[in-house]
Amino acid sequence: MTDIDMAHASERARAALPRLPHRHVPLDVPAVPRTLIVDAMIAVEAAIILLSALATKFLYLDAFLGGDKPIAGYFGVGVLLAVIAALAFRQFGLQNQDRLLAPSINIGRIFGALGISFLLMVAVLYLLKIAEQYSRGWMLLWFVSSFALIVAERSVVKLYARALAARGRLSQRVAIYGAGPIGWKVRNYLRENSDTYHVAGMFDGELFSSTADALPIDGGLDDLMILGRQNRIDQIIIALPLVAQERIRSVVSRLAVLPVEVQLCSEEQRLPCKVYGSLRLGQLQLLQVQRRPLSERGLRVKAAMDFTLAAIGLLLALPLFPLIALAIRVDSEGPVFFRQRRHGFNNQVIHVLKFRTMTVLEDGPVVKQARSGDNRVTRVGRILRATYLDEIPQLINVLKGEMSLVGPRPHALAHNEYYGRLVESYANRHRVKPGITGWAQVNGFRGETADSNLMRERVEHDLYYIDNWSLWLDFEVLVRTVLMAVTGRLFSTTPPALNRRASARRDTDGN
């Protein structure tokens, strides 16, 4: 099929699409770059940390305690923490420009990143043998004031970003070349995401030259070039069928002189699977349809963190073992520990260890999920479940290499078989080791899953964790798990409606 045939085919297909009202976006008002807002935010937060160090020094050490220490040392420590915090915030994803319009400011992540920064700063001071020169009370006040001011500053930035977005000044100005089905699909999507994108116009040289009066498009390639030279667009999307290779090559060659991003939308191919990116193998162009969950380095780092923290946690929890065991035996008959077969990494069967919290020990072809107010749960079991203490023995599974601290929660074999038939990609959860806690759990997807949609959303969160794993994401999950156990509240970044729907307190463990 020639390029002309493809153009006519695209025109006929486009005629069957719904017409959107043609609306021009004001292009003379330049958009505020999101990178500029993020850079300003980084600078302000560095100033907050430094000024908080000096302010707490004057207020606490000088005014309250009556000291008179030189300011130079505190200024230097303030600069050190500002640099460390900037790097930590970046690793925690707190400097991501795409989150400027997110529904929350990630208070838990800010707390974790700033806490890690303070620990690293104290470690540096200790190595330099000057840590004893600084008051612990001053450091605590410094941390609290810095955290409170950064949260307040982030709230102001979010309000400012939303105000800019409401006026269309935070959106990228995008021009579409190609008025066929692909172009209309791109246009519909961009208009649905108007907070992020403004459609600067729709252009198509061949269709515009012959049927301009009948089509709600803004011009041909020459008109697009003029708009680009006037610096009134930020990005151009070429929405042409990939089979029109000569036409695409010609358009790309013409647009190469413009100082804008040019991207090719290949949606027309309708690939049967998700594509994560492309790479070259010699002269071959390959599309990556599945990524390795963790690199070799990532596996080593995660394993080292799991072993270290699990060993420390088990040592700290050992004094609780006899107390919990005694309470379980006094409260009800049965063993102290409960072992259940579950699928682990690469679908291998492991025996997960827990403190017994129920009057039953189900581990067969039928395992009834625990429900809210389940009369099978013992009195002590309710306390253990509410405080996550029943999960402590799984630290032994972590030390054995069968589980991780963070990962998709393992389910009983019976549940695996059942949901594996109902939920697509359910088995993909086993590409990494199961965890004591996970991304789905800290986002509210715990408890009974009588509705398969709840399990489907839980799986989606698990797959998100696998695809986006980082050491910092693990740390965030652990911090939010501890906060949930201590306060009984859900510290989630998911919308409130989602949290209300996932308000149950227990995993689908069966025990």
Side-chain angles (χ1 to χ4, degrees):
M1 184 178 292
T2 65
D3 290 355
I4 296 178
D5 293 334
M6 285 302 305
H8 291 316
S10 296
E11 182 181 354
R12 289 192 300 270
R14 183 209 52 77
L17 294 173
R19 298 292 183 92
L20 293 177
H22 187 52
R23 181 185 64 182
H24 286 280
V25 175
L27 304 177
D28 296 328
V29 179
V32 177
R34 298 188 180 203
T35 53
L36 178 62
I37 299 177
V38 172
D39 290 344
M41 188 170 64
I42 294 172
V44 170
E45 288 171 357
I48 285 175
I49 291 174
L50 177 58
L51 294 177
S52 294
L54 301 180
T56 50
K57 187 262 184 188
F58 286 121
L59 294 175
Y60 178 69
L61 296 179
D62 296 349
F64 184 71
L65 297 181
D68 189 22
K69 293 186 178 181
I71 194 174
Y74 294 88
F75 183 88
V77 172
V79 172
L80 173 64
L81 181 63
V83 173
I84 294 175
L87 297 175
F89 276 39
R90 180 179 180 182
Q91 291 296 326
F92 272 69
L94 292 169
Q95 297 172 359
N96 189 339
Q97 58 180 316
D98 294 331
R99 292 204 55 84
L100 286 175
L101 298 176
S104 69
I105 59 174
N106 285 324
I107 294 179
R109 194 176 295 189
I110 294 173
F111 184 88
L114 192 61
I116 286 289
S117 301
F118 265 85
L119 292 176
L120 291 175
M121 179 201 67
V122 171
V124 172
L125 297 180
Y126 177 79
L127 292 175
L128 296 176
K129 299 182 178 180
I130 58 174
E132 65 278 358
Q133 299 179 16
Y134 298 95
S135 165
R136 286 171 292 182
W138 165 71
M139 284 192 180
L140 179 60
L141 288 175
W142 183 20
F143 174 83
V144 172
S145 60
S146 297
F147 173 70
L149 289 173
I150 289 175
V151 169
E153 171 257 348
R154 291 260 171 167
S155 301
V156 172
V157 169
K158 187 165 292 293
L159 291 174
Y160 174 68
R162 288 178 176 174
L164 289 177
R167 298 198 300 268
R169 297 202 57 195
L170 203 61
S171 304
Q172 278 198 310
R173 300 165 296 179
V174 182
I176 304 168
Y177 186 84
I182 308 174
W184 281 88
K185 186 171 184 177
V186 171
R187 182 175 181 169
N188 289 346
Y189 174 79
L190 295 180
R191 288 195 168 183
E192 290 172 359
N193 295 272
S194 57
D195 287 344
T196 305
Y197 306 101
H198 270 172
V199 179
M202 198 166 186
F203 303 84
D204 194 314
E206 295 186 4
L207 299 180
F208 183 75
S209 61
S210 59
T211 57
D213 294 336
L215 291 172
I217 60 178
D218 299 273
L221 185 57
D222 291 337
D223 301 288
L224 178 58
M225 295 290 296
I226 293 173
L227 200 64
R229 289 194 176 99
Q230 293 175 347
N231 197 30
R232 300 171 72 188
I233 51 177
D234 305 305
Q235 181 180 349
I236 298 173
I237 297 178
I238 300 175
L240 296 174
L242 292 183
V243 293
Q245 296 185 13
E246 289 302 323
R247 188 179 174 197
I248 293 174
R249 186 178 295 111
S250 173
V251 172
V252 171
S253 178
R254 289 283 305 277
L255 297 178
V257 300
L258 299 179
V260 299
E261 291 184 5
V262 179
Q263 297 173 340
L264 177 64
C265 178
S266 59
E267 180 66 23
E268 181 74 1
Q269 279 192 315
R270 289 185 177 87
L271 296 175
C273 54
K274 183 178 180 180
V275 176
Y276 291 94
S278 64
L279 53 91
R280 296 199 64 84
L281 181 63
Q283 296 182 351
L284 302 176
Q285 185 77 23
L286 306 180
L287 296 179
Q288 189 177 36
V289 297
Q290 179 170 305
R291 295 181 297 190
R292 187 172 183 174
L294 278 75
S295 64
E296 290 291 342
R297 178 175 176 272
L299 285 171
R300 292 193 296 269
V301 170
K302 186 173 175 63
M305 183 189 75
D306 283 339
F307 186 86
T308 302
L309 294 183
I312 295 174
L314 195 59
L315 287 174
L316 294 176
L318 278 179
L320 296 176
F321 272 62
L323 299 178
I324 295 175
L326 179 61
I328 292 174
R329 294 302 298 269
V330 170
D331 184 47
S332 62
E333 296 183 357
V336 171
F337 295 104
F338 167 65
R339 299 175 72 222
Q340 189 179 65
R341 292 174 301 154
R342 302 183 185 181
H343 280 124
F345 174 67
N346 206 15
N347 232 39
Q348 296 177 352
V349 177
I350 61 175
H351 290 84
V352 173
L353 192 64
K354 299 179 62 177
F355 282 122
R356 182 176 61 84
T357 59
M358 303 178 73
T359 57
V360 296
L361 300 170
E362 296 176 338
D363 189 24
V366 177
V367 177
K368 185 178 179 181
Q369 288 186 346
R371 301 168 180 258
S372 178
D374 198 322
N375 57 12
R376 298 175 301 164
V377 179
T378 64
R379 289 172 298 177
V380 171
R382 295 190 191 282
I383 299 174
L384 296 179
R385 285 172 174 262
T387 57
Y388 295 77
L389 292 175
D390 61 323
E391 312 282 5
I392 290 179
Q394 290 174 35
L395 293 173
I396 298 174
N397 290 107
V398 175
L399 293 178
K400 292 170 63 178
E402 298 172 337
M403 292 180 64
S404 177
L405 292 176
V406 180
R409 282 291 298 158
H411 299 152
L413 299 187
H415 295 162
N416 255 24
E417 295 175 3
Y418 174 72
Y419 288 110
R421 294 190 297 266
L422 291 181
V423 180
E424 185 181 1
S425 302
Y426 179 89
N428 294 358
R429 304 167 69 252
H430 303 305
R431 295 169 59 206
V432 298
K433 291 180 182 179
I436 297 178
T437 185
W439 181 246
Q441 281 65 47
V442 298
N443 279 289
F445 291 98
R446 312 176 67 244
E448 184 188 2
T449 51
D451 182 357
S452 61
N453 287 328
L454 287 177
M455 179 58 76
R456 185 171 290 107
E457 294 185 58
R458 180 184 297 186
V459 171
E460 288 177 0
H461 279 73
D462 288 336
L463 297 183
Y464 172 87
Y465 168 80
I466 294 173
D467 289 337
N468 297 275
W469 175 86
S470 70
L471 196 62
W472 309 107
L473 183 58
D474 274 5
F475 179 78
E476 178 183 351
V477 172
L478 291 174
V479 170
R480 284 167 60 176
T481 300
V482 172
L483 291 175
M484 286 168 59
V486 172
T487 66
R489 293 180 52 220
L490 181 65
F491 292 81
S492 173
T493 57
T494 53
L498 201 60
N499 289 337
R500 288 194 298 269
R501 202 173 61 194
S503 59
R505 290 288 304 162
R506 280 307 293 151
D507 278 322
T508 55
D509 293 339
N511 202 311

